[in-house]
Each structure stands twice: as C-alpha cells, then as structure tokens.
Amino acid sequence: MEDDNEGAPRTGETDGTEEKKEAPRYREVSEEKLKQILEEHRKWLESKGKEGKQADLRKANLEKANLYGAKLQGAMLIAANLQDATLIEANLQGAVLYRAILDGASLRGANLRDSNLWDSNLCGVELQSAKLQGAILRGANFKDAHLEYANFEGAKLESANFEGANVTNASFRHADLRSAKMKDSINLQAIQLGGADVSNAQLPEEIQKFQAVGIVEETSKNARTIFLSILAA
C-alpha cells in the first residue's frame, strides 16, 4: 500500500511550515551571497559532501534571480520564492522545492528528475523539454504552464492542477495522475497517458470518449488502480 506521505520533507525540514498555509516571510539573499552559496554547493557536489556546503535556500527570496544553468542538485529550496526566476537548463535533480513559488519562472530544458515539488506553485512556468521523471509533484499547480515536450514519466502528480496548461507532446507515461485536473489542459492526447494511473482524474471529454482507449481495472486488497490500455501499444 502506497504511503501518502512518501516524499514529504521530514520533521524540521519545513522550517516551521505547518499544514496551515500562511504567507511565508522570505529571507533576502544578496547577489554576492548567492554566488557564495552556489560556489560552496559546487564544492559539496564535486567532493561528494567532503568539502563545501549543501545549498540551504529555504524561504529565500530569489524572485527574478538569474540561475541559468545553475548546478543545484540536491539543494534545499523549501518554500523559496523563485517567481519569474531564470533557471533555463539548470540542474535541480533531487532538489527539495516543497511548497516553492515558481510562478512565471523559466525552466526550459531543466533537469528536475527525482526532485520534490510537492504542493508547489508553478502557474505560467516555462518547462518546455524539462526532465521531471520520478519527480514528486503532488498537489502542484501548473495553471497556464508551458509544458510542451516535458517528460513526466513515472512522476507523482496526484491532485495536480493542469488547468490551461499546454501539454503538447509532454509524456505522462506510468505517472501517478490520480485525481489530477487535466480536463482543461491544452492538446492532451490519449497516447501521452500510456500506463498512467488516472483514477478519478478529470480528463478531456474527447479522451474519455475515445473508443480506441479501453480502461483496465485491477482490484487488490490494498488499492484500486486504473490503467489506460495503450500501455501495450
């Protein structure tokens, strides 16, 4: 049975953030300080933790920051403000962005594999050709996002909102899309959902009525999973 708390930050990681969503008080990070943090993080990555220091940017105000191509694998960005930031081709693999604000940010071609974006705001974000395989995106808000050619294979997208999001040629194969809101997404095709769990998901009417797509129901004592039959395609 799947643990609904899988991927959530451990106790203390939210820096006092409770279930009640109050407006966070961001801490200011100067451009010079940010450079120092990135340099220490680079050393930490290259030495595999023996030198430098893991980037701790929890609740940092990084609005409109230029982080083009930044190496932020495994960085702590919980509840950080990255609104309108430039993160094109940045490497955020395994980074923790729980409840981060990424509205309007540019992450084209970014690597977000296995990152934690649980409950994050990504309204209007640019994620074209981004890599999000295995990412935790439960409850994420992708309203009006640009997700063309993004790879969400195997991602956890339970209850995520894709209202108005352009998902042209994005891949959701084998993703967890239970209760996801995809009815008003743009250019979603059935073939993009091969092997995905779409239990209780809101899908476009043309996909729901698509005669070439069968729904296979598998019931076990622990869970009820619905797969699109194009898995075999």
Side-chain angles (χ1 to χ4, degrees):
M1 180 175 181
E2 183 178 350
D3 183 356
D4 287 339
N5 290 319
E6 179 186 351
R10 296 175 181 175
T11 303
E13 283 190 356
T14 56
D15 197 17
T17 302
E18 302 296 335
E19 289 186 5
K20 182 179 180 181
K21 297 181 184 178
E22 298 180 353
R25 294 182 179 179
Y26 298 117
R27 57 187 177 94
E28 297 300 323
V29 179
S30 68
E31 185 175 345
E32 185 61 31
K33 180 63 175 177
L34 181 58
K35 287 181 180 178
Q36 293 175 5
I37 291 172
L38 293 175
E39 176 60 19
E40 288 298 304
H41 190 71
R42 180 190 66 78
K43 294 177 182 178
W44 181 78
L45 288 171
E46 293 180 354
S47 68
K48 297 182 179 180
K50 294 179 181 179
E51 298 178 10
K53 185 179 179 181
Q54 180 185 22
D56 185 351
L57 290 163
R58 285 175 284 190
K59 291 190 176 180
N61 186 5
L62 300 171
E63 184 174 357
K64 297 182 179 179
N66 184 359
L67 292 163
Y68 187 105
K71 308 299 182 184
L72 286 164
Q73 301 98 301
M76 301 296 290
L77 289 150
I78 297 170
N81 179 17
L82 288 155
Q83 184 172 354
D84 296 322
T86 299
L87 287 149
I88 298 170
E89 297 182 4
N91 191 340
L92 290 150
Q93 183 168 356
V96 183
L97 294 113
Y98 176 75
R99 288 186 176 173
I101 305 297
L102 291 135
D103 296 343
S106 181
L107 291 110
R108 297 191 301 275
N111 180 4
L112 288 149
R113 287 188 179 99
D114 302 316
S115 59
N116 187 339
L117 287 134
W118 187 319
D119 216 15
S120 292
N121 285 318
L122 300 113
C123 297
V125 71
E126 296 180 354
L127 276 166
Q128 297 97 324
S129 300
K131 304 170 184 67
L132 297 112
Q133 296 98 311
I136 298 171
L137 293 149
R138 290 190 176 112
N141 188 2
F142 290 101
K143 187 178 186 298
D144 299 327
H146 302 276
L147 307 175
E148 299 94 317
Y149 294 94
N151 191 340
F152 290 94
E153 292 185 10
K156 298 183 183 300
L157 289 152
E158 184 179 355
S159 300
N161 177 29
F162 291 91
E163 180 184 352
N166 189 333
V167 297
T168 303
N169 292 316
S171 176
F172 296 96
R173 295 182 66 84
H174 306 290
D176 180 355
L177 287 160
R178 289 175 295 165
S179 301
K181 300 174 180 65
M182 305 188 82
K183 183 177 181 180
D184 297 316
S185 59
I186 299 171
N187 292 334
L188 180 64
Q189 305 295 320
I191 197 170
Q192 295 169 247
L193 301 170
D197 184 345
V198 293
S199 305
N200 300 315
Q202 298 175 24
L203 300 172
E205 185 175 352
E206 57 270 24
I207 291 181
Q208 292 179 347
K209 293 183 178 181
F210 187 37
Q211 294 182 354
V213 178
I215 296 180
V216 178
E217 297 187 9
E218 296 181 356
T219 305
S220 69
K221 63 180 179 180
N222 293 324
R224 175 176 176 271
T225 306
I226 299 178
F227 293 96
L228 295 178
S229 65
I230 57 174
L231 169 61

